[in-house]
Each structure stands twice: as structure tokens, then as C-alpha cells.
Amino acid sequence: QVHLQESGPGLLKPSETLSLNCIVSGASITSDYWSWIRQSPGKGLEWIGHIHYSGTTNYNPSLTGRVTISVDTSRKQFSLTLTSVTAADTALYFCAKLGSRGFDEFDPWGPGTLVTVSS
Amino acid sequence: QSVLTQPPSVSGAPGQRVTISCTGTSSNIGSGYDVQWYQVLPGTAPKLLMYGYTNRPSGVPDRFSGSKSGTSASLAITGLQAEDEADYYCQSYDSGLSGSVFGGGTKVTVL
């Protein structure tokens, strides 16, 4: 059974860089795609981007220029970096596996990690 | 504003049937891209409820069903139960954005 677990600092100041990791267990990271998704307080879900184990990435155009997703196959983890954060980046951040059934589905998801941006 | 449009809320009494619509455009649902549905219970991560419009992952009750019509998709819950009270999101791929898009979410209330 595949499990994902996010980790990273929960509190950032404006203009700082957000860095989160997602550790994958129960499956090989060298298969399919791996994604980051967030949910701002009181709002819906927003796809951030995804990465293939080969390193190919795809990002939400609204975040292009600030976002980077990378993968470390030896550590079985993938990471999210978001630069120049503002209060608008305050959200619950999830990592998820993409497309294991051959559709564009996200499954499973990690439990999520809350990131707050505040001065 | 979300790319996919869902009603903010629906409600029903226990045992009743409710449906949640998800309206897209020609660059996502209308182009034939699959629709998925997720259930979000308070304080928990989203759970895949339906994929490829009509396919239920193992463990999802058959009270949940999905359908497609043109540029829209729908999720139906028959025999509504108290445990179904949650937020539901639809999701698809958008060729204009070259990525995944979500609906704004629908809160289901069991009266």
C-alpha cells in the first residue's frame, strides 16, 4: 500500500522560500508522476505541479517562475520549492501520486502539512 | 474562480438522492478528458471517490455513481447517509493550462 508523508516548516515570513518534502513508501518512486496540490483556508483545491521520476515537470501557469519540483530517487522523496512567498501562499499542502490507474487521478494523498506565511 | 464550476452546496435527507454537477469547457471536459471526484471529510486529506467518470476505487460504496454529458459531469449519491456529509471536488485535465484543474467544491449536508 502506497503511503505519502509531507514534511517541512510550518511558518514562514513574507518573501521567504517554502521548501517541502514528500516521502514515498510502499511503492517505487521510479514510476508514474508525483504531484503537489494545495488548499488555501476556506478555498478549494489548487494543482501546483507534478514531476516524473525522469525529472520532467509541469507547473501551474499561475505559479511559473516561483515553483520548482524535484525528485530524489535514492531517498524515495520528491520536493516542492516556492520562492517569494506571500500571505496568499498560506495553505494546506498535499503531495499525491498521479495517474497510477492510467487516468489523471490523484491517489493516494499524503495527510497534508499546513504552511502559514505571516510577518 | 475555479476552471470547473460546481454548486457551492447541496443537501438532502437521509436515504434521499443528491447530485453534484461539474461544468467545464471545451478545453477540459468538452475535449474528452476524464473527470475524477474526491471526498474531503473535515480534517482529512482528499479521498479519490471516482475516476474516469464512472469508475469506483475499491472500497467506495456503490451508492456513489458518476456520469458525463457534454461538457459536464455529475456525481450522484443515492441512499444518502450521515457519513456522506463532506466536501466534494471534481477534477480534470485542461489543455489550455496543460495541467490539472479542480472545481470549487460542493458541500453536501445531510439534513
Side-chain angles (χ1 to χ4, degrees):
Chain A
Q1 192 172 5
V2 183
H3 286 283
L4 290 81
Q5 180 67 54
E6 306 89 349
S7 64
L11 181 62
L12 293 171
K13 291 182 167 54
S15 80
E16 291 185 334
T17 296
L18 180 160
S19 295
L20 298 176
N21 292 319
C22 179
I23 295 178
V24 178
S25 59
S28 172
I29 200 169
T30 56
S31 66
D32 299 315
Y33 292 80
W34 305 91
S35 306
W36 287 98
I37 298 151
R38 69 181 182 180
Q39 183 173 25
S40 301
K43 296 188 178 180
L45 299 166
E46 178 184 29
W47 169 74
I48 297 171
H50 62 245
I51 188 166
H52 188 255
Y53 73 92
S54 64
T56 302
T57 54
N58 196 14
Y59 302 129
N60 188 319
S62 68
L63 298 171
T64 299
R66 292 202 300 136
V67 62
T68 302
I69 298 176
S70 59
V71 63
D72 186 335
T73 56
S74 64
R75 294 186 177 185
K76 297 193 69 174
Q77 67 181 35
F78 61 104
S79 304
L80 169 69
T81 300
L82 186 66
T83 61
S84 304
V85 298
T86 69
D89 296 310
T90 293
L92 188 56
Y93 285 76
F94 299 98
C95 58
K97 191 171 188 288
L98 172 65
S100 56
R101 293 179 176 81
F103 297 82
D104 292 318
E105 84 283 5
F106 296 104
D107 182 53
W109 298 56
T113 187
L114 180 63
V115 175
T116 302
V117 180
S118 174
S119 57
Chain B
Q1 189 170 357
S2 302
V3 174
L4 305 178
T5 301
Q6 299 179 233
S9 63
V10 298
S11 61
Q16 285 189 330
R17 179 179 187 269
V18 297
T19 61
I20 303 169
S21 61
C22 174
T23 303
T25 67
S26 57
S27 62
N28 41 70
I29 299 175
S31 288
Y33 293 108
D34 295 305
V35 170
Q36 282 64 240
W37 291 92
Y38 301 87
Q39 180 190 58
V40 184
L41 296 168
T44 68
K47 169 190 170 184
L48 180 66
L49 203 62
M50 200 76 58
Y51 63 95
Y53 285 104
T54 61
N55 302 288
R56 284 186 307 275
S58 174
V60 174
D62 59 7
R63 302 185 291 103
F64 294 90
S65 61
S67 63
K68 174 190 178 183
S69 177
T71 58
S72 295
S74 293
L75 175 73
I77 311 174
T78 57
L80 195 62
Q81 299 183 6
E83 66 200 51
D84 299 331
E85 193 160 281
D87 293 326
Y88 294 82
Y89 291 86
C90 60
Q91 172 252 324
S92 186
Y93 178 86
D94 189 279
S95 58
L97 297 174
S98 297
S100 295
V101 289
F102 288 92
T106 298
K107 182 174 183 59
V108 170
T109 301
V110 182
L111 302 172

